[in-house]
Every structure is written in structure tokens, then in C-alpha cells.
Amino acid sequence: MLPGLKAGFTLDARLEADSEQLMWLGLCELRLMNDRRWPWLVLVPQRPGVEEIHEMTPLDQAMLTFETNMVAQALKRVTGCTKINTGALGNIVRQLHVHVVARSEGDPGWPGPVWGHGMREPYQRSDIRRFAETIKAAL
């Protein structure tokens, strides 16, 4: 079994298709959304069947908060962005996952949300690897 992988846990196919695995944190798999318009990370708690934060144990909730804050701080340092947007929507992908998006004035769609704005622009393989290594180093 891979480190961090919990028995019975399966990543939603849409999350797998739209993002790249970066690393395992204590509770979550950290992934990078494959859209170069925004530096956009996703934390996926490795708990089967969980759709809402309130369904998690208090310890898992605390760990998710800790990991989300750690990722947000690293993303802010790396990008120098104006604002970090954090959200767990789940309207389309029901599996619990937390988006952490670096936003800056003048980016595509500012100040509106990133969801539903234009067409996704995938990274070049070399750029996604470079950004992934920068984030890993910041964590």
C-alpha cells in the first residue's frame, strides 16, 4: 500500500483527471489542479465515503485545518499573491476536497470565482514539474 493511502479510499475520477499528485501530507493527498491560469492546490482527505467536513472526526477536522493552513501559507509565499481563496464546495465532485487558490488582481476572472471562468489551460509538463517542486520545497 502506498504511504498515506487509507484502506478502501479511492480518489474521485474527476479529481484524478483534472489534477496531478504532488505529495502525501498527514491526512491529505496534496494535488495540483492542471490549470496554469491560477496556482491552485487541492487537499483530499484520505477518508472513504466522506463528503462533508462535519462528517470527519474532531481529530481529522483539526488535521485538515492544519494542513490547509500549511498549504495556504506555502502557496502565498511562493506566489506572492494578493489573496488566498480556500473552499470545499463539493457540488459536482462529492468527495471531500479543499481548494486552495492563489489569486491576484488582474488574474483571469478577478475578482470573481475561478469556477466556471473560461476554459482550463493545462500546464506544460516541464512547468507543472517546476511548480510542484517549488511548492514541495516551501512545505
Side-chain angles (χ1 to χ4, degrees):
M1 186 176 293
L2 293 172
L5 189 62
K6 303 299 181 206
F9 178 84
T10 304
L11 182 65
D12 182 276
R14 289 163 290 199
L15 286 174
E16 190 166 8
D18 291 346
S19 63
E20 299 284 329
Q21 181 185 22
L22 290 189
M23 63 190 299
W24 297 98
L25 304 172
L27 171 68
C28 297
E29 176 183 357
L30 181 62
R31 301 184 67 84
L32 168 64
M33 286 297 285
N34 191 6
D35 189 339
R36 65 184 181 86
R37 296 175 297 167
W38 301 283
W40 183 345
L41 303 173
V42 178
L43 294 97
V44 185
Q46 303 295 286
R47 296 296 185 256
V50 174
E51 295 182 359
E52 307 287 351
I53 293 171
H54 67 261
E55 295 173 350
M56 299 172 74
T57 67
L59 181 58
D60 281 353
Q61 290 175 30
M63 193 67 175
L64 178 60
T65 299
F66 174 79
E67 291 179 4
T68 300
N69 290 340
M70 182 176 67
V71 166
Q73 289 170 352
L75 189 58
K76 178 100 175 178
R77 275 194 314 274
V78 165
T79 65
C81 65
T82 304
K83 182 77 175 87
I84 292 288
N85 291 173
T86 305
L89 301 172
N91 296 342
I92 295 173
V93 175
R94 300 299 292 258
Q95 181 175 56
L96 179 60
H97 60 289
V98 177
H99 299 269
V100 180
V101 187
R103 301 295 307 275
S104 293
E105 294 179 34
D107 75 22
W110 178 268
V114 296
W115 294 277
H117 181 83
M119 297 296 293
R120 182 167 62 107
E121 297 177 18
Y123 283 93
Q124 297 291 325
R125 291 306 309 165
S126 60
D127 292 337
I128 205 167
R129 279 194 300 275
R130 189 175 311 112
F131 184 62
E133 290 307 315
T134 303
I135 290 296
K136 288 178 188 178
L139 289 167

